[in-house]
Amino acid sequence: MITVTLPDGHERQVARGTSVIDFAAGIGVGLAKATLGACLNGSKEIVDLRSPILDDCSIEIVTAKSKAGLHVIRHSASHIMADAILRLWPDCKLAIGPSTDQGFYYDIDLDHKITEDDLGRIEAEMKKVIKEDTPFERHTVEREASLDEFRRAGEIYKVELIEGFDPDDELSVYRHGTTAFEDLCRGPHVPSTGHIKAFKLMRVAGSYWRGDEKRQVLQRIYGTAFPSKKELNQYLHNLEEAKKRDHRKLGKELELFMFHPTAPATPFFLPKGAVIYNELVNFMREKYLDYGYDEVVTPQILDVELWKRSGHWDKYQDNMFFTKFDKAEYGVKPMNCPTHALIYGSALKSYKQLPIRLADFGRLHRYERSGVTAGLTRVRSFCQDDAHIFCRDDQIGEEISQVIKMLNEVYETFGFDHLKIYLSTRPEKSVGSDEVWEKAEEGLRNALAENDIEYEVNEGDGAFYGPKIDFVVFDALEREWQLGTVQLDFTMPERFDLEYVNPGDGKSRPVMIHRAILGSLERFMGIIIEHFAGNFPLWLAPVQVRVINISDSQREYAEGVVASLKKLGIRVDAAYANTRIGGKIRDARNARLPFIAVVGDREKENGQVAVQALGGVDLGPSSVEDFGLMLKNKIEAREI
RNA sequence: GCCAGCGUAGCUCAGUGGUAGAGCAGCGGUUUUGUAAACCGCAGGUCGUCGGUUCGACCCCGACCGCUGGCUCCA
């Protein structure tokens, strides 16, 4: 007998070699029915439900309700899809077909180009496989025999996979279906194909074998699967909702920005979008005042000598734009840091002056490969709420703490109330010595520890000149967005030979902290458009109030209302057109106006406006003064 | 950059190898209106660009540009 511990601490004695499914059956018939596999001893790896339990252990039974169970379902769906594809196109070669957080995919090598129509055909074939409800059988196989079999079947990708495995590892295949579809797989899977209750194929896309762009291009078919139809429909519904908030769609509808083929991947902010853009800048400028930053304005185009000195020429050239004139070559700046290093170095500094915090809303240009750009979230020209802090070693902790404090204040203003934090370490393409990198990474770790911040490590994801802390927010749809970054850099000060006079009258090297909170304003705008679904908080709304008159007889009064609101600095417009009020209200609501002020004879009589807030909330009549005051208060408080 | 898809009026979208259509927006009238679309009329497009096939191309073919979904890359 062995002892198996359940998640709640209960212990059960069972015979050595009892299978997971039998163990579950011992607890309850319902649990046995729902069991898809198990995680042993806290491992994240799921074992098959038929695998025997050999030793004392803790166990967590995996059902469809858990995240792990969902992966089992999706992985099984991926096998069923591969089976269906092979039934339709027997010459198809299979690469890999894992589950993902969104669903599953299978990479296939097939001459026939899969179209949207084909997805329907594959789905129909999958339904047949599911209806057959044949069991998923696990078989361990011998390496050489398995290689032979896959070679014979022409499954070159499977062969390559096996050849890459450790020869001592056990190989397993899973088999299901009337055609005995078999795939190299660690598993586990659902007990039989009939357990797949709800799935849908989403799209087909290109991918590279093993993610290597020099290798074979494969077709990747994406699908998703859920334990029930209801959950699938909910997922599809959420996708629709996300589509409705797509910043590219709203940007066009709300006249915020546009693109033009003459400037690929470079936005034009229209008057309304520029209002939001400038409000964001104003907001950050206020914070800069609070936190002791000095704003600078720096050149756009600088001699390549500068970029050679900073390391950009070596490590960042592929992402830069260059131009030649007056017998010299120049690079358009992709980052502000070198210009700030020049400013720092332009005059002798004392240790008493530090820290020096230089902020810059300079426009940056980075060449992005044509296929990677997207709306406002990945552009070739953008502006960061960028700043560089030059400080002494002993100031690093406090400076980073202050940045984190400021960052939290900023994010709260937009309703981003929980964060995920990553520490990114040295990348392959980097400058600086090992010691310096170690020192910098330790500096960041210490700062995180001092602030009691939990974080995950992103190996090799740092900037070329230093490690960084990345701040990820969750938007209204709980999607993750990386916004802020704090980077600790000992390299740039060295390359630019930056110094300060220390108390002992000697020279010391300052540290440079690169930091941005909103990240790029372009990207940030894209994110908040989707976060707020275009319903901006009052302080950001391009037009804050629309005055609507009921008929011409209140036109003059309405113009007076507009004028007095304008006087208060409120962004107001009006709909004086001679049409019915219902239509004008509708237009205002579609344009996401935060407030609508209706004036008819009653209001004209009493010096009032009838106020409607976003979403059709009727706030009733109010004097023009009170209304204006109410707006001013909300704006100044940056109320969400 | 690679794979696939897409590109018709300002917007959303129909459409066919015989030189284009709707709704909304716009403009002009009529209507003077009380909280999500008043009515009538007018105008608006070398069908992304260039080339080819064809008696004839918006439609078929090719190249290019742009966009979208992915891959790779990535603040």
Side-chain angles (χ1 to χ4, degrees), chain A residues 203 208 211 213 248 366 369-370 550 578 586 589 601-603 612:
Chain A
R203 65 179 73 90
Y208 298 106
E213 62 184 299
R248 291 167 298 198
R366 298 184 188 175
R369 298 211 283 176
S370 61
I550 287 174
N578 246 340
R586 187 188 139 88
R589 290 170 73 151
D601 284 336
R602 282 203 298 272
E603 288 74 21
Q612 184 182 120

Short mmCIF file of all heavy atoms in Angstrom, two decimals, chain A residues 203 208 211 213 248 366 369-370 550 578 586 589 601-603 612, chain B residues 1-2 4 32-37 68-73 75:
data_model
loop_
_atom_site.label_atom_id
_atom_site.label_comp_id
_atom_site.label_asym_id
_atom_site.label_seq_id
_atom_site.Cartn_x
_atom_site.Cartn_y
_atom_site.Cartn_z
N ARG A 203 -8.52 30.34 -37.59
CA ARG A 203 -7.86 30.95 -38.74
C ARG A 203 -6.64 30.13 -39.14
O ARG A 203 -6.22 29.23 -38.41
CB ARG A 203 -7.42 32.37 -38.41
CG ARG A 203 -6.36 32.46 -37.33
CD ARG A 203 -5.95 33.88 -37.09
NE ARG A 203 -6.98 34.60 -36.39
CZ ARG A 203 -7.06 34.70 -35.07
NH1 ARG A 203 -6.17 34.09 -34.31
NH2 ARG A 203 -8.00 35.38 -34.50
N TYR A 208 7.10 29.33 -39.10
CA TYR A 208 8.34 28.68 -39.52
C TYR A 208 8.55 27.43 -38.68
O TYR A 208 8.25 27.42 -37.48
CB TYR A 208 9.54 29.60 -39.29
CG TYR A 208 9.49 30.88 -40.07
CD1 TYR A 208 9.19 32.09 -39.45
CD2 TYR A 208 9.73 30.88 -41.44
CE1 TYR A 208 9.14 33.27 -40.17
CE2 TYR A 208 9.68 32.05 -42.17
CZ TYR A 208 9.39 33.25 -41.53
OH TYR A 208 9.35 34.39 -42.24
N GLY A 211 10.30 27.80 -35.46
CA GLY A 211 10.40 29.24 -35.26
C GLY A 211 11.59 29.90 -35.93
O GLY A 211 11.96 31.01 -35.61
N GLU A 213 13.25 31.49 -39.16
CA GLU A 213 12.81 32.04 -40.44
C GLU A 213 13.62 31.56 -41.64
O GLU A 213 13.27 31.84 -42.77
CB GLU A 213 12.74 33.56 -40.39
CG GLU A 213 14.05 34.27 -40.13
CD GLU A 213 13.84 35.77 -40.01
OE1 GLU A 213 13.37 36.35 -40.99
OE2 GLU A 213 14.12 36.34 -38.95
N ARG A 248 -8.14 50.68 -33.82
CA ARG A 248 -8.05 51.10 -35.22
C ARG A 248 -9.43 51.48 -35.75
O ARG A 248 -9.59 52.44 -36.49
CB ARG A 248 -7.45 49.97 -36.05
CG ARG A 248 -5.99 49.76 -35.73
CD ARG A 248 -5.49 48.49 -36.31
NE ARG A 248 -6.18 47.34 -35.75
CZ ARG A 248 -5.74 46.10 -35.81
NH1 ARG A 248 -4.60 45.84 -36.41
NH2 ARG A 248 -6.41 45.11 -35.28
N ARG A 366 11.99 54.33 -35.32
CA ARG A 366 12.63 53.03 -35.37
C ARG A 366 12.10 52.29 -36.58
O ARG A 366 10.90 52.26 -36.81
CB ARG A 366 12.32 52.21 -34.10
CG ARG A 366 12.83 52.89 -32.84
CD ARG A 366 12.62 52.03 -31.62
NE ARG A 366 12.96 52.82 -30.43
CZ ARG A 366 12.79 52.40 -29.18
NH1 ARG A 366 12.29 51.19 -28.95
NH2 ARG A 366 13.11 53.17 -28.16
N ARG A 369 10.22 45.99 -39.23
CA ARG A 369 9.99 45.24 -40.46
C ARG A 369 8.51 45.32 -40.84
O ARG A 369 7.64 45.33 -39.97
CB ARG A 369 10.42 43.79 -40.26
CG ARG A 369 11.92 43.71 -39.96
CD ARG A 369 12.52 42.44 -40.47
NE ARG A 369 12.22 41.31 -39.62
CZ ARG A 369 12.58 40.07 -39.91
NH1 ARG A 369 13.21 39.83 -41.06
NH2 ARG A 369 12.30 39.09 -39.12
N SER A 370 8.29 45.35 -42.15
CA SER A 370 6.94 45.68 -42.65
C SER A 370 5.83 44.83 -42.05
O SER A 370 4.74 45.30 -41.81
CB SER A 370 6.91 45.59 -44.17
OG SER A 370 7.22 44.27 -44.57
N ILE A 550 -33.24 72.70 -29.01
CA ILE A 550 -34.39 71.96 -29.51
C ILE A 550 -34.92 72.58 -30.80
O ILE A 550 -35.24 71.88 -31.74
CB ILE A 550 -35.48 71.88 -28.42
CG1 ILE A 550 -34.99 70.87 -27.36
CG2 ILE A 550 -36.82 71.44 -29.01
CD1 ILE A 550 -35.83 70.75 -26.15
N ASN A 578 -31.20 72.14 -37.75
CA ASN A 578 -32.65 72.18 -37.68
C ASN A 578 -33.27 70.81 -37.82
O ASN A 578 -34.12 70.59 -38.66
CB ASN A 578 -33.14 73.04 -38.85
CG ASN A 578 -33.79 74.28 -38.31
OD1 ASN A 578 -34.17 74.32 -37.14
ND2 ASN A 578 -33.92 75.28 -39.16
N ARG A 586 -28.67 61.13 -30.55
CA ARG A 586 -28.07 59.90 -31.06
C ARG A 586 -26.66 60.14 -31.58
O ARG A 586 -25.73 59.41 -31.26
CB ARG A 586 -28.96 59.34 -32.17
CG ARG A 586 -28.56 57.99 -32.66
CD ARG A 586 -29.37 57.64 -33.89
NE ARG A 586 -28.51 56.99 -34.86
CZ ARG A 586 -28.29 55.69 -34.87
NH1 ARG A 586 -28.88 54.91 -34.01
NH2 ARG A 586 -27.48 55.17 -35.76
N ARG A 589 -24.29 60.65 -28.73
CA ARG A 589 -23.98 59.42 -28.00
C ARG A 589 -23.04 58.54 -28.80
O ARG A 589 -22.11 57.95 -28.25
CB ARG A 589 -25.26 58.70 -27.64
CG ARG A 589 -26.03 59.47 -26.57
CD ARG A 589 -27.41 58.95 -26.35
NE ARG A 589 -27.40 57.68 -25.64
CZ ARG A 589 -28.39 57.28 -24.85
NH1 ARG A 589 -29.44 58.04 -24.66
NH2 ARG A 589 -28.33 56.13 -24.26
N ASP A 601 -37.06 75.75 -24.57
CA ASP A 601 -37.66 76.98 -24.03
C ASP A 601 -37.60 77.00 -22.50
O ASP A 601 -37.35 78.04 -21.90
CB ASP A 601 -39.11 77.11 -24.51
CG ASP A 601 -39.13 77.56 -25.97
OD1 ASP A 601 -38.13 78.18 -26.42
OD2 ASP A 601 -40.11 77.27 -26.67
N ARG A 602 -37.84 75.84 -21.87
CA ARG A 602 -37.83 75.78 -20.40
C ARG A 602 -36.48 76.23 -19.85
O ARG A 602 -36.40 77.04 -18.93
CB ARG A 602 -38.09 74.34 -19.93
CG ARG A 602 -39.53 73.91 -20.00
CD ARG A 602 -39.81 72.76 -19.03
NE ARG A 602 -39.04 71.56 -19.33
CZ ARG A 602 -39.45 70.61 -20.18
NH1 ARG A 602 -40.60 70.74 -20.82
NH2 ARG A 602 -38.70 69.55 -20.39
N GLU A 603 -35.40 75.67 -20.44
CA GLU A 603 -34.06 75.99 -19.94
C GLU A 603 -33.72 77.45 -20.22
O GLU A 603 -33.11 78.13 -19.39
CB GLU A 603 -33.02 75.06 -20.58
CG GLU A 603 -33.06 73.63 -20.09
CD GLU A 603 -34.24 72.84 -20.64
OE1 GLU A 603 -34.78 73.23 -21.69
OE2 GLU A 603 -34.63 71.83 -20.02
N GLN A 612 -27.46 65.38 -19.79
CA GLN A 612 -27.44 63.93 -19.92
C GLN A 612 -25.97 63.48 -19.92
O GLN A 612 -25.15 64.02 -20.65
CB GLN A 612 -28.10 63.52 -21.23
CG GLN A 612 -28.19 62.01 -21.39
CD GLN A 612 -28.79 61.56 -22.71
OE1 GLN A 612 -28.16 60.87 -23.47
NE2 GLN A 612 -30.02 61.97 -22.98
P G B 1 9.49 44.26 -46.59
OP1 G B 1 9.93 44.62 -47.87
OP2 G B 1 9.36 45.11 -45.48
"O5'" G B 1 10.16 42.88 -46.18
"C5'" G B 1 11.35 42.47 -46.78
"C4'" G B 1 11.74 41.15 -46.18
"O4'" G B 1 11.86 41.29 -44.75
"C3'" G B 1 10.71 40.03 -46.36
"O3'" G B 1 10.87 39.40 -47.62
"C2'" G B 1 11.07 39.09 -45.22
"O2'" G B 1 12.22 38.34 -45.51
"C1'" G B 1 11.42 40.10 -44.11
N9 G B 1 10.29 40.43 -43.26
C8 G B 1 9.68 41.65 -43.16
N7 G B 1 8.69 41.65 -42.29
C5 G B 1 8.65 40.35 -41.80
C6 G B 1 7.80 39.74 -40.84
O6 G B 1 6.88 40.27 -40.22
N1 G B 1 8.10 38.40 -40.65
C2 G B 1 9.10 37.73 -41.30
N2 G B 1 9.24 36.44 -40.99
N3 G B 1 9.90 38.28 -42.20
C4 G B 1 9.63 39.57 -42.39
P C B 2 9.61 38.77 -48.39
OP1 C B 2 10.08 38.29 -49.70
OP2 C B 2 8.50 39.73 -48.29
"O5'" C B 2 9.25 37.51 -47.49
"C5'" C B 2 10.13 36.39 -47.43
"C4'" C B 2 9.50 35.31 -46.58
"O4'" C B 2 9.45 35.76 -45.21
"C3'" C B 2 8.05 34.99 -46.92
"O3'" C B 2 7.95 34.09 -48.00
"C2'" C B 2 7.55 34.38 -45.61
"O2'" C B 2 8.00 33.06 -45.46
"C1'" C B 2 8.27 35.27 -44.59
N1 C B 2 7.45 36.41 -44.16
C2 C B 2 6.47 36.21 -43.18
O2 C B 2 6.33 35.07 -42.72
N3 C B 2 5.71 37.25 -42.77
C4 C B 2 5.89 38.46 -43.30
N4 C B 2 5.12 39.45 -42.86
C5 C B 2 6.87 38.70 -44.30
C6 C B 2 7.62 37.66 -44.70
P A B 4 1.56 32.10 -49.70
OP1 A B 4 1.32 31.04 -50.68
OP2 A B 4 2.16 33.37 -50.14
"O5'" A B 4 0.22 32.43 -48.92
"C5'" A B 4 -0.67 31.39 -48.55
"C4'" A B 4 -1.76 31.91 -47.66
"O4'" A B 4 -1.16 32.56 -46.51
"C3'" A B 4 -2.64 33.00 -48.26
"O3'" A B 4 -3.64 32.47 -49.11
"C2'" A B 4 -3.23 33.62 -47.01
"O2'" A B 4 -4.24 32.81 -46.45
"C1'" A B 4 -2.01 33.61 -46.07
N9 A B 4 -1.27 34.88 -46.16
C8 A B 4 -0.13 35.18 -46.85
N7 A B 4 0.27 36.43 -46.71
C5 A B 4 -0.68 36.99 -45.88
C6 A B 4 -0.84 38.28 -45.35
N6 A B 4 0.00 39.29 -45.60
N1 A B 4 -1.90 38.52 -44.55
C2 A B 4 -2.75 37.51 -44.32
N3 A B 4 -2.71 36.25 -44.74
C4 A B 4 -1.64 36.04 -45.53
P U B 32 -43.01 73.68 -39.17
OP1 U B 32 -44.34 73.67 -38.54
OP2 U B 32 -42.59 74.80 -40.03
"O5'" U B 32 -41.89 73.51 -38.04
"C5'" U B 32 -42.06 72.57 -37.00
"C4'" U B 32 -41.13 72.94 -35.84
"O4'" U B 32 -39.79 73.16 -36.37
"C3'" U B 32 -41.52 74.23 -35.13
"O3'" U B 32 -41.24 74.09 -33.75
"C2'" U B 32 -40.56 75.26 -35.68
"O2'" U B 32 -40.25 76.29 -34.79
"C1'" U B 32 -39.31 74.40 -35.93
N1 U B 32 -38.43 74.97 -36.96
C2 U B 32 -37.19 75.47 -36.56
O2 U B 32 -36.82 75.43 -35.40
N3 U B 32 -36.43 76.00 -37.56
C4 U B 32 -36.76 76.08 -38.88
O4 U B 32 -35.96 76.57 -39.67
C5 U B 32 -38.05 75.55 -39.23
C6 U B 32 -38.82 75.03 -38.27
P U B 33 -42.27 73.54 -32.72
OP1 U B 33 -43.45 73.04 -33.45
OP2 U B 33 -42.47 74.54 -31.65
"O5'" U B 33 -41.42 72.33 -32.09
"C5'" U B 33 -42.04 71.07 -32.00
"C4'" U B 33 -41.08 69.98 -32.45
"O4'" U B 33 -40.38 70.42 -33.64
"C3'" U B 33 -40.02 69.56 -31.46
"O3'" U B 33 -40.11 68.16 -31.26
"C2'" U B 33 -38.70 69.83 -32.17
"O2'" U B 33 -37.70 68.89 -31.92
"C1'" U B 33 -39.12 69.77 -33.62
N1 U B 33 -38.23 70.41 -34.60
C2 U B 33 -38.23 69.88 -35.88
O2 U B 33 -38.95 68.95 -36.21
N3 U B 33 -37.37 70.49 -36.76
C4 U B 33 -36.54 71.54 -36.50
O4 U B 33 -35.84 71.99 -37.40
C5 U B 33 -36.59 72.03 -35.15
C6 U B 33 -37.42 71.46 -34.26
P G B 34 -40.90 67.66 -29.95
OP1 G B 34 -41.28 66.26 -30.16
OP2 G B 34 -41.91 68.68 -29.61
"O5'" G B 34 -39.76 67.73 -28.85
"C5'" G B 34 -38.57 66.98 -29.04
"C4'" G B 34 -38.00 66.61 -27.69
"O4'" G B 34 -37.62 67.82 -26.98
"C3'" G B 34 -38.99 65.87 -26.78
"O3'" G B 34 -38.21 64.97 -26.00
"C2'" G B 34 -39.51 66.97 -25.87
"O2'" G B 34 -39.91 66.51 -24.60
"C1'" G B 34 -38.26 67.84 -25.71
N9 G B 34 -38.51 69.24 -25.38
C8 G B 34 -39.40 70.08 -25.97
N7 G B 34 -39.39 71.29 -25.46
C5 G B 34 -38.41 71.21 -24.47
C6 G B 34 -37.95 72.21 -23.57
O6 G B 34 -38.30 73.39 -23.49
N1 G B 34 -36.98 71.72 -22.73
C2 G B 34 -36.50 70.43 -22.74
N2 G B 34 -35.57 70.14 -21.85
N3 G B 34 -36.92 69.49 -23.58
C4 G B 34 -37.87 69.95 -24.39
P U B 35 -38.68 63.43 -25.76
OP1 U B 35 -39.56 63.02 -26.88
OP2 U B 35 -39.13 63.33 -24.37
"O5'" U B 35 -37.32 62.63 -25.92
"C5'" U B 35 -36.64 62.59 -27.20
"C4'" U B 35 -35.19 62.27 -26.97
"O4'" U B 35 -34.52 63.43 -26.43
"C3'" U B 35 -34.97 61.14 -25.97
"O3'" U B 35 -33.85 60.38 -26.39
"C2'" U B 35 -34.60 61.88 -24.68
"O2'" U B 35 -33.78 61.14 -23.82
"C1'" U B 35 -33.84 63.07 -25.25
N1 U B 35 -33.82 64.25 -24.37
C2 U B 35 -32.65 64.50 -23.69
O2 U B 35 -31.66 63.79 -23.80
N3 U B 35 -32.68 65.60 -22.88
C4 U B 35 -33.73 66.45 -22.69
O4 U B 35 -33.60 67.41 -21.94
C5 U B 35 -34.91 66.11 -23.42
C6 U B 35 -34.92 65.04 -24.22
P A B 36 -34.01 58.84 -26.85
OP1 A B 36 -35.39 58.40 -26.68
OP2 A B 36 -32.94 58.07 -26.19
"O5'" A B 36 -33.74 58.94 -28.41
"C5'" A B 36 -32.56 59.52 -28.92
"C4'" A B 36 -32.13 58.67 -30.09
"O4'" A B 36 -30.83 58.15 -29.79
"C3'" A B 36 -33.01 57.46 -30.35
"O3'" A B 36 -32.92 57.14 -31.73
"C2'" A B 36 -32.33 56.36 -29.56
"O2'" A B 36 -32.55 55.07 -30.07
"C1'" A B 36 -30.87 56.75 -29.76
N9 A B 36 -30.00 56.31 -28.69
C8 A B 36 -30.17 56.42 -27.35
N7 A B 36 -29.20 55.91 -26.64
C5 A B 36 -28.32 55.42 -27.60
C6 A B 36 -27.10 54.76 -27.52
N6 A B 36 -26.53 54.47 -26.37
N1 A B 36 -26.50 54.40 -28.66
C2 A B 36 -27.10 54.71 -29.81
N3 A B 36 -28.25 55.33 -30.02
C4 A B 36 -28.81 55.65 -28.87
P A B 37 -34.22 57.13 -32.63
OP1 A B 37 -35.39 57.36 -31.80
OP2 A B 37 -34.17 55.93 -33.47
"O5'" A B 37 -33.99 58.45 -33.51
"C5'" A B 37 -32.66 58.86 -33.83
"C4'" A B 37 -32.71 59.50 -35.20
"O4'" A B 37 -31.71 58.88 -36.01
"C3'" A B 37 -34.01 59.28 -35.96
"O3'" A B 37 -34.09 60.28 -36.96
"C2'" A B 37 -33.79 57.94 -36.61
"O2'" A B 37 -34.54 57.72 -37.76
"C1'" A B 37 -32.31 58.06 -36.98
N9 A B 37 -31.60 56.79 -36.96
C8 A B 37 -31.89 55.62 -36.33
N7 A B 37 -31.02 54.67 -36.53
C5 A B 37 -30.09 55.26 -37.37
C6 A B 37 -28.92 54.78 -37.96
N6 A B 37 -28.47 53.56 -37.78
N1 A B 37 -28.24 55.62 -38.74
C2 A B 37 -28.69 56.86 -38.91
N3 A B 37 -29.78 57.43 -38.41
C4 A B 37 -30.44 56.56 -37.64
P U B 68 -2.95 47.03 -39.93
OP1 U B 68 -3.40 47.68 -38.68
OP2 U B 68 -1.52 46.73 -40.14
"O5'" U B 68 -3.77 45.66 -40.13
"C5'" U B 68 -5.17 45.63 -39.91
"C4'" U B 68 -5.68 44.23 -40.16
"O4'" U B 68 -5.47 43.89 -41.56
"C3'" U B 68 -4.96 43.12 -39.42
"O3'" U B 68 -5.41 43.00 -38.09
"C2'" U B 68 -5.34 41.91 -40.27
"O2'" U B 68 -6.67 41.52 -40.05
"C1'" U B 68 -5.23 42.50 -41.67
N1 U B 68 -3.89 42.29 -42.27
C2 U B 68 -3.62 41.05 -42.80
O2 U B 68 -4.43 40.13 -42.80
N3 U B 68 -2.38 40.91 -43.36
C4 U B 68 -1.38 41.87 -43.41
O4 U B 68 -0.31 41.59 -43.95
C5 U B 68 -1.74 43.13 -42.82
C6 U B 68 -2.96 43.29 -42.28
P G B 69 -4.44 42.45 -36.95
OP1 G B 69 -5.09 42.68 -35.65
OP2 G B 69 -3.08 42.95 -37.21
"O5'" G B 69 -4.44 40.89 -37.25
"C5'" G B 69 -5.64 40.13 -37.16
"C4'" G B 69 -5.35 38.71 -37.56
"O4'" G B 69 -5.04 38.64 -38.96
"C3'" G B 69 -4.12 38.12 -36.89
"O3'" G B 69 -4.43 37.67 -35.59
"C2'" G B 69 -3.76 36.99 -37.84
"O2'" G B 69 -4.60 35.87 -37.64
"C1'" G B 69 -4.09 37.62 -39.21
N9 G B 69 -2.92 38.22 -39.84
C8 G B 69 -2.49 39.52 -39.76
N7 G B 69 -1.40 39.75 -40.46
C5 G B 69 -1.09 38.53 -41.03
C6 G B 69 -0.02 38.16 -41.89
O6 G B 69 0.89 38.85 -42.33
N1 G B 69 -0.09 36.80 -42.23
C2 G B 69 -1.06 35.94 -41.81
N2 G B 69 -0.96 34.67 -42.24
N3 G B 69 -2.07 36.27 -41.01
C4 G B 69 -2.02 37.57 -40.66
P G B 70 -3.32 37.64 -34.47
OP1 G B 70 -4.00 37.39 -33.20
OP2 G B 70 -2.40 38.79 -34.62
"O5'" G B 70 -2.54 36.32 -34.88
"C5'" G B 70 -1.15 36.27 -34.84
"C4'" G B 70 -0.72 35.08 -35.64
"O4'" G B 70 -1.01 35.33 -37.06
"C3'" G B 70 0.77 34.84 -35.60
"O3'" G B 70 1.09 34.03 -34.48
"C2'" G B 70 1.03 34.13 -36.92
"O2'" G B 70 0.63 32.79 -36.86
"C1'" G B 70 0.08 34.90 -37.85
N9 G B 70 0.72 36.10 -38.41
C8 G B 70 0.43 37.41 -38.11
N7 G B 70 1.18 38.26 -38.77
C5 G B 70 2.01 37.47 -39.53
C6 G B 70 3.04 37.82 -40.45
O6 G B 70 3.43 38.95 -40.77
N1 G B 70 3.65 36.70 -41.00
C2 G B 70 3.29 35.40 -40.73
N2 G B 70 3.98 34.46 -41.36
N3 G B 70 2.34 35.06 -39.88
C4 G B 70 1.74 36.14 -39.32
P C B 71 2.43 34.34 -33.67
OP1 C B 71 2.46 33.41 -32.53
OP2 C B 71 2.58 35.79 -33.46
"O5'" C B 71 3.54 33.89 -34.72
"C5'" C B 71 3.65 32.52 -35.10
"C4'" C B 71 4.76 32.37 -36.10
"O4'" C B 71 4.43 33.11 -37.31
"C3'" C B 71 6.09 32.97 -35.68
"O3'" C B 71 6.81 32.11 -34.82
"C2'" C B 71 6.78 33.17 -37.02
"O2'" C B 71 7.27 31.95 -37.53
"C1'" C B 71 5.61 33.63 -37.89
N1 C B 71 5.49 35.10 -37.96
C2 C B 71 6.37 35.79 -38.81
O2 C B 71 7.21 35.14 -39.46
N3 C B 71 6.29 37.14 -38.90
C4 C B 71 5.38 37.80 -38.18
N4 C B 71 5.34 39.12 -38.30
C5 C B 71 4.48 37.12 -37.31
C6 C B 71 4.57 35.78 -37.22
P U B 72 7.63 32.70 -33.63
OP1 U B 72 8.24 31.55 -32.94
OP2 U B 72 6.79 33.65 -32.87
"O5'" U B 72 8.77 33.54 -34.35
"C5'" U B 72 9.87 32.89 -34.98
"C4'" U B 72 10.69 33.89 -35.75
"O4'" U B 72 9.84 34.54 -36.74
"C3'" U B 72 11.21 35.08 -34.93
"O3'" U B 72 12.36 34.77 -34.19
"C2'" U B 72 11.46 36.10 -36.03
"O2'" U B 72 12.63 35.79 -36.75
"C1'" U B 72 10.24 35.88 -36.91
N1 U B 72 9.15 36.78 -36.47
C2 U B 72 9.18 38.08 -36.95
O2 U B 72 10.05 38.48 -37.70
N3 U B 72 8.16 38.88 -36.50
C4 U B 72 7.15 38.53 -35.64
O4 U B 72 6.31 39.36 -35.32
C5 U B 72 7.19 37.17 -35.18
C6 U B 72 8.17 36.36 -35.60
P C B 73 12.55 35.38 -32.74
OP1 C B 73 13.85 34.89 -32.24
OP2 C B 73 11.32 35.14 -31.96
"O5'" C B 73 12.65 36.95 -33.02
"C5'" C B 73 13.80 37.50 -33.64
"C4'" C B 73 13.55 38.93 -34.01
"O4'" C B 73 12.30 39.04 -34.75
"C3'" C B 73 13.35 39.90 -32.86
"O3'" C B 73 14.56 40.28 -32.24
"C2'" C B 73 12.67 41.06 -33.57
"O2'" C B 73 13.58 41.80 -34.34
"C1'" C B 73 11.72 40.31 -34.49
N1 C B 73 10.39 40.13 -33.83
C2 C B 73 9.50 41.20 -33.86
O2 C B 73 9.85 42.24 -34.44
N3 C B 73 8.30 41.09 -33.27
C4 C B 73 7.96 39.95 -32.64
N4 C B 73 6.77 39.88 -32.07
C5 C B 73 8.86 38.84 -32.59
C6 C B 73 10.06 38.97 -33.19
P A B 75 13.63 44.97 -27.09
OP1 A B 75 14.99 45.59 -26.91
OP2 A B 75 13.39 43.59 -26.73
"O5'" A B 75 12.59 45.89 -26.34
"C5'" A B 75 12.61 47.17 -26.64
"C4'" A B 75 11.88 48.11 -25.80
"O4'" A B 75 11.91 49.28 -26.60
"C3'" A B 75 10.41 47.80 -25.53
"O3'" A B 75 10.25 47.20 -24.26
"C2'" A B 75 9.75 49.17 -25.63
"O2'" A B 75 9.77 49.83 -24.40
"C1'" A B 75 10.65 49.91 -26.59
N9 A B 75 10.08 49.91 -27.94
C8 A B 75 10.68 50.40 -29.07
N7 A B 75 9.96 50.32 -30.15
C5 A B 75 8.80 49.75 -29.70
C6 A B 75 7.63 49.41 -30.38
N6 A B 75 7.45 49.62 -31.67
N1 A B 75 6.63 48.85 -29.69
C2 A B 75 6.82 48.65 -28.37
N3 A B 75 7.88 48.93 -27.61
C4 A B 75 8.85 49.49 -28.35
#
